[in-house]
């Protein structure tokens, strides 16, 4: 019973009125409230089920005695910032990030505004599955207080952390695509306050995501790329559904992969600060370490997962960190992924250092080969161990799965937590090298499996 899981890598998620129904939301609210106690901030993204799930979570929280500060629809990092600056016990975000519109989810935020630590999620799971909810009589039930101001506190914080004069003088022209998500409620006005001239696309909140699916991958951003090209804009900006991640289109209308924009921002911040530590998961492209080293900084690697990156950043006093999917973390702002902060920082970098396409020329490029290899769950540990033995003369990093380094590249073999597969990422200077490395790794895994 105790080891049953409710939380995935990004909260509790599922299809609405299937797994994610009001009863689940109510009981998750009761479990979170039992753990957090006191005042809890609550916000949603813009999905059609936002009201239903939010009401159920609020009922659960108040039933166990919590007072709910209801912030309304907001980007996830806006809720996180509000929790960080308020004297409250934590926050709850109703969002399924970039998932299709039929999904929704519930994510818990600790009192410092960071995504909840796994050990505390386990505590919530224990309360949920054993139904050990706090019991209050009619006098102890909490209240729901509509609370305004979160968006303004957040925007002011972002504006205070960039060189506004430089951005305003640069007269940058941008195209913003919020995928009809929660970023629509913040980023258009923030761009105005930053003094950029912005055209908007899919910036009306709409829970069916009529513009395109809300994951900012290249195949979903055709309209944005065309608009950047047609208008000759300096930058295209694409956010995911809850506006914690951002992907850029450069001034030549090229889609910029998340690890390359991570490299540009990291190098700029390291240069500006005469050094510093940048934290990123082992799955990130070598291009980030190359760029950071060239700027005089150092990279530290973690297991995959934004909360893990954020906590490592706190531990080592990192200057900056992030993931290859466009999730950038600015510790002087807050220890979580933040699309609006990333967007403002990118504008500052362009204003001070020049066009994104020229900055990207300084970032070495690599090719990534992604594969899935079938492996029964019960054999994953043995296979990983034997992979390490097979490559014992190579440098190996076992931070997350096994990352084996070769001449001109590396391969990362990670067991999936949810499927009987290994995810295999292989990177090389070019396509042929990446493929050669991936083929070699695949052969070794298959030989081990065949015994
Ligand atoms: Mg997201």
């Amino acid at each position: 019973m105790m080891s049953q899981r409710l939380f995935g890598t990004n909260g509790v998620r599922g299809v609405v009125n299937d797994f994610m129904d009001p009863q689940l939301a109510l009981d998750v609210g009761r479990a979170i409230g039992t753990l957090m106690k006191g005042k809890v901030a609550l916000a949603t993204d813009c999905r059609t089920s936002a009201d239903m799930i939010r009401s159920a979570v609020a009922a659960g929280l108040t039933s166990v005695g919590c007072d709910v500060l209801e912030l309304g629809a907001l980007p996830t990092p806006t809720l996180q910032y509000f929790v960080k600056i308020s004297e409250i016990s934590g926050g709850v975000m109703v969002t399924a990030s970039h998932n299709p519109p039929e999904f929704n989810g519930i994510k818990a935020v600790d009192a410092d505004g960071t995504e909840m630590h796994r050990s505390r999620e386990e505590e919530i799971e224990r309360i949920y599955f054993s139904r050990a909810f706090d019991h209050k009589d009619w006098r102890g039930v909490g209240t729901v207080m509509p609370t305004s101001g979160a968006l303004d506190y957040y925007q002011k914080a972002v504006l205070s952390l960039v060189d506004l004069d430089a951005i305003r003088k640069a007269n940058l022209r941008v195209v913003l695509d919020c995928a009809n998500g929660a970023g629509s409620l913040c980023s258009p006005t923030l761009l105005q306050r930053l003094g950029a001239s912005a055209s908007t696309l899919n910036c009306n909140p709409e829970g069916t995501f009529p513009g395109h699916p809300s994951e900012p991958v290249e195949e979903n951003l055709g309209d944005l790329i065309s608009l950047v090209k047609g208008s000759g804009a300096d930058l295209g900006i694409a956010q995911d559904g809850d506006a914690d991640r951002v992907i850029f289109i450069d001034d030549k209308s090229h889609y910029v992969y998340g690890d390359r924009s991570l490299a540009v921002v990291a190098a700029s911040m390291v240069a500006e600060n005469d050094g510093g530590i940048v934290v990123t998961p082992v799955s990130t492209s070598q291009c980030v370490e190359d760029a950071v080293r060239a700027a005089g900084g150092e990279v530290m690697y973690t297991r995959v997962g934004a909360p893990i990156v954020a906590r490592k950043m706190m531990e080592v006093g990192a200057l900056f960190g992030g993931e290859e999917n466009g999730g950038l973390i600015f510790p002087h702002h807050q220890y979580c992924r933040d699309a609006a902060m990333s967007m403002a920082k990118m504008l500052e970098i362009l204003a001070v250092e020049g066009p994104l396409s020229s900055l990207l020329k300084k970032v070495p490029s690599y090719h990534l080969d992604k594969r899935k290899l079938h492996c029964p769950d019960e054999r994953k540990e043995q296979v990983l161990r034997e992979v390490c033995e097979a490559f014992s003369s190579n440098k190996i990093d076992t931070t997350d799965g096994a990352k084996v380094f070769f001449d001109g590249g590396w391969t990362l073999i990670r067991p999936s937590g949810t499927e009987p597969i290994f995810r295999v990422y292989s990177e090389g200077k070019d396509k042929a090298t990446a493929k050669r490395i991936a083929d070699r790794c695949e052969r070794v895994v298959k030989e081990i499996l065949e015994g």
Side-chain angles (χ1 to χ4, degrees):
M1 254 332 228
M2 295 302 188
S3 63
Q4 270 181 285
R5 277 194 81 156
L6 193 58
F7 288 86
T9 40
N10 265 300
V12 185
R13 275 195 204 168
V15 171
V16 171
N17 279 348
D18 183 29
F19 174 70
M20 180 53 68
D21 66 3
Q23 186 65 57
L24 175 82
L26 177 77
D27 287 341
V28 170
R30 291 162 89 190
I32 292 174
T34 298
L35 179 77
M36 282 186 181
K37 308 195 189 314
K39 285 185 186 160
V40 178
L42 176 62
T44 72
D45 65 15
C46 303
R47 289 165 187 272
T48 54
S49 55
D51 288 340
M52 180 184 93
I53 301 295
R54 186 199 62 228
S55 313
V57 171
L61 289 166
T62 50
S63 77
V64 297
C66 288
D67 287 321
V68 174
L69 306 181
E70 202 164 73
L71 309 185
L74 291 173
T76 296
T78 307
L79 166 90
Q80 291 181 273
Y81 188 74
F82 181 86
V83 173
K84 179 191 148 176
I85 61 168
S86 308
E87 295 286 316
I88 58 178
S89 311
V92 178
M93 184 73 198
V94 175
T95 180
S97 183
H98 60 278
N99 285 160
E102 62 270 26
F103 282 77
N104 212 336
I106 302 167
K107 182 154 135 172
V109 171
D110 276 330
D112 61 2
T114 60
E115 292 175 59
M116 186 171 272
H117 195 277
R118 179 65 201 141
S119 62
R120 279 170 56 82
E121 284 182 350
E122 281 168 3
E123 194 56 18
I124 292 171
E125 286 164 346
R126 190 192 60 74
I127 296 166
Y128 175 89
F129 287 112
S130 61
R131 302 189 66 79
F133 309 122
D134 272 354
H135 179 78
K136 298 285 182 213
D137 71 9
W138 62 275
R139 279 166 298 227
V141 169
T143 56
V144 177
M145 289 164 281
T147 303
S148 58
L151 200 53
D152 194 47
Y153 300 139
Y154 172 72
Q155 290 197 347
K156 278 188 181 135
V158 171
L159 292 167
S160 73
L161 292 170
V162 290
D163 185 344
L164 270 183
D165 282 346
I167 297 173
R168 285 174 179 158
K169 272 191 207 123
N171 284 319
L172 295 165
R173 286 180 310 133
V174 307
V175 185
L176 171 69
D177 183 343
C178 289
N180 302 108
S184 314
L185 303 163
C186 172
S187 287
T189 50
L190 184 65
L191 281 173
Q192 237 166 34
R193 294 174 84 172
L194 284 161
S197 128
S199 312
T200 56
L201 182 65
N202 306 317
C203 285
N204 50 320
E206 178 66 67
T208 55
F209 305 152
H212 58 75
S214 64
E215 169 79 346
V217 290
E218 191 167 7
E219 59 262 37
N220 292 335
L221 301 179
D223 291 342
L224 175 64
I225 292 167
S226 306
L227 252 173
V228 170
K229 190 170 194 173
S231 64
D234 299 294
L235 186 70
I237 301 163
Q239 302 182 352
D240 78 328
D242 66 329
D244 58 350
R245 293 188 288 125
V246 66
I247 283 292
F248 297 103
I249 310 300
D250 74 10
D251 48 295
K252 304 274 189 227
S253 69
H254 291 135
Y255 180 92
V256 181
Y257 284 94
D259 32 28
R260 299 184 61 75
S261 45
L262 173 62
V264 166
V265 178
S268 170
M269 289 183 58
V270 167
E272 189 186 334
N273 290 275
D274 295 316
I277 298 171
V278 174
V279 178
T280 195
V282 283
S283 52
T284 299
S285 169
Q286 175 68 29
C287 76
V288 173
E289 185 174 332
D290 292 351
V292 167
R293 279 205 188 172
E298 182 194 340
V299 170
M300 292 182 80
Y301 291 101
T302 65
R303 286 193 292 125
V304 174
I308 299 168
V309 173
R311 286 178 201 284
K312 184 75 178 178
M313 289 173 68
M314 284 181 198
E315 187 192 314
V316 301
L319 175 66
F320 176 63
E323 303 175 304
E324 44 64 46
N325 59 10
L328 308 185
I329 303 172
F330 297 84
H332 49 304
H333 179 42
Q334 56 177 346
Y335 282 97
C336 67
R337 297 176 293 185
D338 193 321
M341 183 67 224
S342 310
M343 176 181 91
K345 188 67 190 178
M346 183 58 89
L347 289 179
E348 181 197 88
I349 292 170
L350 302 193
V352 175
E353 299 178 36
L356 183 53
S357 60
S358 356
L359 300 178
L360 285 163
K361 279 188 195 138
K362 296 180 216 156
V363 178
S365 51
Y366 291 92
H367 186 84
L368 186 66
D369 179 306
K370 282 190 188 183
R371 299 182 188 188
K372 290 178 192 172
L373 301 181
H374 188 268
C375 175
D377 286 333
E378 65 277 10
R379 293 200 61 192
K380 282 174 175 170
E381 243 185 81
Q382 170 228 339
V383 171
L384 265 185
R385 205 172 46 240
E386 290 186 29
V387 165
C388 292
E389 282 161 19
F391 290 112
S392 60
S393 54
N394 296 54
K395 182 184 153 197
I396 300 179
D397 178 341
T398 55
T399 304
D400 196 349
K403 186 174 184 180
V404 186
F405 292 84
F406 299 90
D407 247 3
W410 52 262
T411 192
L412 173 67
I413 309 167
R414 285 185 63 230
S416 159
T418 51
E419 294 169 75
I421 56 164
F422 280 114
R423 291 182 199 286
V424 183
Y425 293 10
S426 309
E427 188 178 78
K429 261 321 248 178
D430 49 51
K431 198 171 176 177
T433 312
K435 184 178 180 303
R436 196 172 63 238
I437 291 172
D439 287 345
R440 186 164 163 205
C441 172
E442 184 169 342
R443 222 167 31 240
V444 168
V445 170
K446 283 192 171 149
E447 276 166 19
I448 295 170
L449 278 171
E450 282 155 19

